[in-house]
Amino acid sequence: MRITHQSDIASSEITPPELWRRRREFLKASAAGVGLIATGGLLGSPGRVSAGETIPNIKPSPLSTDEQQTSFEDITQYNNFYELGSGKSAPAANAHHLKTRPWSVVVDGECDAPGEIGIEDILGGFTQEERIYRLRCVEAWSMVVPWVGFPLGDLLKRFKPNSNARYVAFETLYDPEQMPGQRRAVLDWPYREGLRMDEAMHPLAILATGLYGEIMPNQNGAPLRLVVPWKYGFKSIKSIVRIRFAAREPEATWNMLQPDEYGFYANVNPAVNHPRWSQKMHRVIGEGWFARKQETLPFNGYADQVASLYSGMDLRRHF
Ligand code: MTE
């Protein structure tokens, strides 16, 4: 695992993307023995970690938390994206293999207007709000990411789900050429996830196209990924190419692999432990490995907004 917190950079420092890139270029140039003057060009045109383009006309969402944001560096260098390798630093290292243009998403299944939508239409038509959410992963860490995205429901409605549509299924691109991790059967590819229809229509379930005001870096799931902040991180499927309305609960990658460890719902729940570890506490990324852990809240702190979706359900059974 790569630890980004014990460098010369203060762990709590919140680094905007441009500044961070410039510092990376500077460090790279210094390591190569290139003097400060010679780095002028590099400093002027910082190397792109990924797409990095600014997304115009975004505004803060009223759903945003006011908690401190995790640094751009931590968000983009400490990832889970098995298609781009196992280990937290592999996705960033292999990100360049993934080509995100052209890109389109097929939407079909139980709906009256199935079809395909191109990423340019998605970017042009939906991305209006910047949303800041805590994203908590099942490995028990948390980040506050300023996602650029839009409600998943806005896209789903366009395809007119019919009355049989009780679930929504998602699939990631399958292409071992672009996704070196798929050359091995680490998971049952393609990565799949699903939500119940009412969960998918909740305004906190978003599709993200960027973060920190920029087009999504590949390692974070470019060009389009799900973000469901009240669920464990593995539900937030990356690099989506297919969305299907379904009558029955769809297959979900981790749930299929280890059903007793990863439930279909995967709502953040400190009262239900993972069979191999407690889920009561988590580490906050950016605070360092030795910082005190933080208490995990039911539904990751979004209980007021989402708990009613599950009223009457036994959340120990439907974990
Ligand atoms: N989506 C795909 N396609 N492949 C993956 O391996 N990993 C999941 C989720 N989405 C994953 C994925 C897991 S386990 C987590 S914790 C989050 O992505 C991590 O998102 P992040 O790297 O942007 O923090």
Side-chain angles (χ1 to χ4, degrees), residues 24 49-50 76-77 79 81-100 175-184 217-220 239:
R24 290 246 311 185
V49 180
S50 63
T76 59
Q77 305 297 302
N79 298 101
F81 196 171
Y82 286 85
E83 290 87 334
L84 295 179
S86 322
K88 306 300 176 216
S89 57
N94 290 317
H96 61 280
H97 292 293
L98 176 60
K99 301 281 169 279
T100 60
D175 183 353
E177 289 276 306
Q178 297 188 53
M179 296 192 153
Q182 289 177 336
R183 293 172 204 162
R184 293 190 301 134
N218 287 358
Q219 61 267 36
N220 291 90
S239 304

Side-chain angles (χ1 to χ4, degrees), residues 20-37:
W20 176 69
R21 283 195 199 101
R22 266 185 270 145
R23 191 160 54 202
R24 290 246 311 185
E25 292 304 336
F26 174 73
L27 291 174
K28 245 196 272 172
S30 311
V34 183
L36 185 57
I37 293 166

Side-chain angles (χ1 to χ4, degrees), residues 74-75 78-85 88 91 135-139 141 143 145 147 171-173 179 182 187 189-193 211 216 219-221 225-226 232-240 254:
D74 281 331
I75 294 170
Y78 189 89
N79 298 101
N80 267 350
F81 196 171
Y82 286 85
E83 290 87 334
L84 295 179
K88 306 300 176 216
L135 170 67
R136 179 153 306 128
C137 290
V138 76
E139 283 84 354
W141 68 85
M143 296 191 188
V145 182
W147 299 110
E171 261 179 46
T172 295
L173 174 72
M179 296 192 153
Q182 289 177 336
L187 295 174
W189 312 115
Y191 198 98
R192 275 158 282 178
E193 257 309 334
L211 54 86
M216 188 76 79
Q219 61 267 36
N220 291 90
R225 62 141 334 141
L226 187 66
Y232 290 110
F234 66 87
K235 295 294 288 184
S236 293
I237 183 172
K238 297 178 168 184
S239 304
I240 297 166
W254 288 96

